[in-house]
Amino acid sequence: MDIQNGSGRYSETEKHPTVICRFLNIVIKIYYNEGIHAGRPHFHVIFKGRPAVSIDIETLDELSETKLPPGRRGKLIRKWAGKNREGLMEDWHLARDGKEMKQLKAPRH
């Protein structure tokens, strides 16, 4: 699966879809069996036509070379993630255990 396409499709090796939220043409994903970022709890933010941004759930720091866009969308994503830290962490642990993740509510904008 191309992690940059934001399609919400998943590979045959994954048990469940990885998209946990969508808003403003932004897709939030957590992947099953992902070995990058040294096991740090994180999620991916995917914008149409841009490489994925990896965000640490605990600190909200960007873990990837690609950064969140400045301005409204970047602020909205950080605010949403801050309010949904508990749900993001729960989904991250569910993904590590190979269980179906819960959908998180999109922010009002």
Side-chain angles (χ1 to χ4, degrees):
M1 182 171 108
D2 178 358
I3 72 168
Q4 297 180 18
N5 70 9
S7 70
R9 291 178 290 161
Y10 54 101
S11 72
E12 292 177 16
T13 60
E14 293 176 313
K15 296 179 182 178
H16 310 286
T18 60
V19 174
I20 58 173
C21 191
R22 292 177 191 267
F23 54 93
L24 294 176
N25 293 320
I26 299 166
V27 177
I28 307 294
K29 290 185 175 187
I30 294 178
Y31 293 97
Y32 292 89
N33 302 319
E34 181 183 40
I36 62 172
H37 304 306
R40 287 174 73 173
H42 67 283
F43 63 97
H44 300 273
V45 179
I46 301 165
F47 299 86
K48 192 171 189 175
R50 295 193 61 196
V53 180
S54 298
I55 305 290
D56 184 288
I57 294 171
E58 295 171 344
T59 65
L60 301 183
D61 291 337
E62 294 141 325
L63 301 175
S64 56
E65 289 183 21
T66 307
K67 305 300 179 194
L68 289 174
R72 180 176 172 249
R73 284 188 175 184
K75 289 177 185 175
L76 181 64
I77 292 164
R78 286 190 191 282
K79 185 176 178 181
W80 174 86
K83 288 182 177 181
N84 285 281
R85 247 190 206 115
E86 188 175 308
L88 286 163
M89 190 64 80
E90 181 181 356
D91 275 350
W92 190 83
H93 285 290
L94 288 168
R96 299 289 74 75
D97 293 339
K99 297 179 181 173
E100 187 171 0
M101 291 179 271
K102 299 176 182 179
Q103 294 291 303
L104 299 178
K105 288 186 179 184
R108 291 189 210 158
H109 39 273

